[in-house]
Amino acid sequence: MSDHTYYNAFEISPVPAPGPDAVAPEPFRGIYGMPAFVNIPTTDLAASVEFWTRGLGFFELFSIPGTLVHLRRWAFQDVLLVAAESVPDQPPAMSFSFSGVLSEVDSLVAACRALRPDAVEGPRDTPWNTRDVEVVTPENAHIVFTAAKPFDPDTQEARNLEAIGITPPGGTPGDNERHA
């Protein structure tokens, strides 16, 4: 058991609480100080933008022609495509993950496969209660689209989370109700 105390803080995230009726938020077009983002070098900005927008569901927030395209989905899902002379020949072991909802999984898989048939692995269910899709983009970036599955306390996934101290709100009094 971990020494950490966890609590429900979904109110600070654009990711909706998992559930069968979870609805993806609208694309976020506001300008803010980005707490984290990823830079992805590309030798073909147009092809990269097409894949990220048509396949992965991002939109172009703004661009500096020939230099950079700032893409976004939801708040805090920012990607900077940056013009480069070369990109790695193979995807790195490291990946960039972004969240969605379960209802987006099948359409994302279909859209990515329509653009790059061999670029998608999955979906697959994880021991931490998500459904993940792995995608290799035209820039050879290793991307994981992840969607939380509805919480079922009678599953192995729920037992896995409980074993590390993560319980659903109301699951164990005091664990998730108390804020730091």
Side-chain angles (χ1 to χ4, degrees), residues 5-9 167-180:
T5 300
Y6 300 100
Y7 56 90
N8 182 338
T167 58
T172 303
D175 281 354
N176 294 345
E177 309 305 322
R178 186 177 55 222
H179 295 274

Side-chain angles (χ1 to χ4, degrees), residues 38-120:
V38 62
N39 285 302
I40 299 184
T42 177
T43 57
D44 187 339
L45 277 169
S48 294
V49 168
E50 178 183 30
F51 186 83
W52 282 82
T53 58
R54 290 184 50 212
L56 295 171
F58 283 72
F59 68 91
E60 187 174 324
L61 185 62
F62 67 83
S63 66
I64 301 170
T67 304
L68 171 135
V69 178
H70 184 153
L71 302 174
R72 181 177 292 153
R73 276 182 89 242
W74 304 346
F76 313 120
Q77 292 183 340
D78 294 277
V79 173
L80 303 181
L81 297 174
V82 182
E85 291 186 23
S86 65
V87 296
D89 292 335
Q90 297 294 317
M94 185 185 85
S95 64
F96 165 66
S97 299
F98 67 93
S99 295
V101 295
L102 282 175
S103 63
E104 296 176 302
V105 171
D106 292 340
S107 60
L108 181 130
V109 167
C112 287
R113 284 192 175 134
L115 294 165
R116 293 179 51 111
D118 297 329
V120 180

Side-chain angles (χ1 to χ4, degrees), residues 18 125-131 147-152 155 157-158 161:
D125 290 343
T126 68
W128 46 90
N129 206 43
T130 64
R131 182 157 298 143
K149 297 184 330 189
F151 185 81
D152 178 348
T155 63
E157 291 88 348
L161 293 171

